[in-house]
Amino acid sequence: MLMLAVFATLNAAFFPAGDVLMLFAVVSIVLLITRNWSGRAIFITAVIFLLQPVEWFHCIAALINPGHTLPDLHVAEMYAEAAEYTKAGDPGAFFLGNVTLGQKASLLWAVNAGRLVQTAGLFLLGHWLGRRKMFSDKGNNTRTWTMVLAVAATAFAPLYTLKELAMQTQGTAAQSAGTALDMWQKLAFTLVLVSAFVLSYRFSDRFRKTVSGLRWYGRMSLTNYICQSVIGVLIYFPIGLNLAPYCGYTVSLLIGIAVFLLQVLLSRWWLSRHRQGPLETLWHKWTWLKLK
């Protein structure tokens, strides 16, 4: 967790208003706590987190007491301040603000948006899937992923519609329910993507060959992720080329694709000469430092 927090701080320096890696570092404590639990206990705990109990607590509390309000974490004010120092183009203020105010804003936003609890649930769900070897070709995994795809695809549309209706309704109860439903519809969409990818990879040789290069990228995911932040700052922000006002969605998409393909090629080249990416190597060495 400590090493991930270090990398999160490094990445946040280039990422206005904080970064998701710090959230991952904080939430990863659930994996430490549950590492020796049974698969059944881990799955049940994951489901509890993914049900968004905090949001439903606020929803029920507001239905019982119309005066109940959500805590004001002042996230909007923090983001406004982050936007100001980003526009100013002062590198010192930019980097310092990102690793202090930005990190705080990002974490508190995750609390408001239901991401903190959802991330804990997703971590445990991923851990459970790994234990069950759900990404292997053994057993009834194909049937399971087909069922997941069908259920998630069927659930996505009504969950999205209910979320939109709740978000358009005033009041703490509706907003809290909307936040929970928003997390559910995103979970459904994620399960559609994951199950579709697994099934396509298993049954389509063409698809498998097309995405085979992703394994190089994945083995250097931490290095590539942080490098993307550095590249993005240099391209888009005032302390770099400041091209954000001139790049629309299409140009930004093309830049993103170009950077991604370049990173895939660089990852393959690096891993042909080294066992791990540069930051992955540091993480490995620091993690096991005390055991040497």
Side-chain angles (χ1 to χ4, degrees):
M1 292 184 295
L2 178 59
M3 292 303 100
L4 185 56
V6 171
F7 288 122
T9 302
L10 171 63
N11 191 57
F14 300 92
F15 205 101
D19 171 67
V20 72
L21 284 182
M22 186 58 75
L23 172 64
F24 291 169
V26 172
V27 175
S28 63
I29 192 173
V30 301
L31 296 177
L32 181 64
I33 294 172
T34 63
R35 67 189 186 280
N36 294 322
W37 289 13
S38 67
R40 180 186 179 90
I42 290 174
F43 180 76
I44 292 174
T45 307
V47 171
I48 292 173
F49 278 127
L50 292 173
L51 286 174
Q52 294 292 325
V54 175
E55 303 306 326
W56 290 115
F57 165 79
H58 286 300
C59 179
I60 295 172
L63 291 174
I64 296 174
N65 175 21
H68 179 79
T69 59
L70 299 175
D72 185 4
L73 303 180
H74 304 287
V75 174
E77 293 90 332
M78 296 180 198
Y79 278 142
E81 185 176 343
E84 289 301 318
Y85 67 66
T86 300
K87 294 176 183 177
D90 179 4
F94 179 79
F95 293 129
L96 180 61
N98 287 345
V99 299
T100 53
L101 177 69
Q103 289 283 55
K104 181 180 178 181
S106 178
L107 286 173
L108 293 180
W109 174 86
V111 173
N112 270 348
R115 293 286 179 87
L116 183 68
V117 176
Q118 187 197 46
T119 301
L122 290 175
F123 276 18
L124 292 175
L125 180 61
H127 180 42
W128 180 80
L129 290 172
R131 274 196 182 184
R132 295 289 297 272
K133 299 182 179 179
M134 289 299 298
F135 298 102
S136 71
D137 293 331
K138 300 178 181 179
N140 296 320
N141 289 347
T142 298
R143 179 182 299 176
T144 302
W145 283 116
T146 302
M147 185 180 302
V148 170
L149 176 60
V151 173
T154 302
F156 172 74
L159 286 174
Y160 180 84
T161 302
L162 289 172
K163 182 265 296 187
E164 289 294 308
L165 292 173
M167 289 296 191
Q168 294 171 7
T169 305
Q170 299 296 321
T172 300
Q175 293 301 304
S176 297
T179 299
L181 291 167
D182 183 43
M183 294 297 98
W184 289 0
Q185 62 95 9
K186 288 174 180 174
L187 175 62
F189 188 66
T190 299
L191 291 175
V192 168
L193 293 178
V194 172
S195 56
F197 187 96
V198 171
L199 293 172
S200 298
Y201 192 88
R202 187 162 298 171
F203 293 111
S204 173
D205 291 336
R206 178 177 297 180
F207 181 81
R208 190 181 304 114
K209 292 177 181 178
T210 301
V211 302
S212 61
L214 292 177
R215 69 184 186 275
W216 307 105
Y217 193 90
R219 287 174 59 189
M220 286 180 51
S221 55
L222 178 63
T223 298
N224 286 323
Y225 183 74
I226 293 180
C227 284
Q228 283 181 354
S229 298
V230 177
I231 294 170
V233 165
L234 296 177
I235 293 175
Y236 292 110
F237 293 138
I239 66 169
L241 298 176
N242 195 29
L243 295 181
Y246 311 102
C247 295
Y249 293 121
T250 302
V251 174
S252 295
L253 175 62
L254 294 175
I255 292 174
I257 292 173
V259 170
F260 171 74
L261 294 177
L262 177 61
Q263 287 187 310
V264 171
L265 294 175
L266 290 174
S267 297
R268 183 170 184 174
W269 173 83
W270 180 274
L271 291 172
S272 67
R273 292 161 174 79
H274 307 275
R275 292 184 59 187
Q276 296 174 306
L279 294 186
E280 287 77 9
T281 300
L282 286 176
W283 193 353
H284 179 83
K285 289 183 176 179
W286 290 348
T287 299
W288 301 105
L289 187 62
K290 292 185 178 181
L291 298 181
K292 295 183 178 180

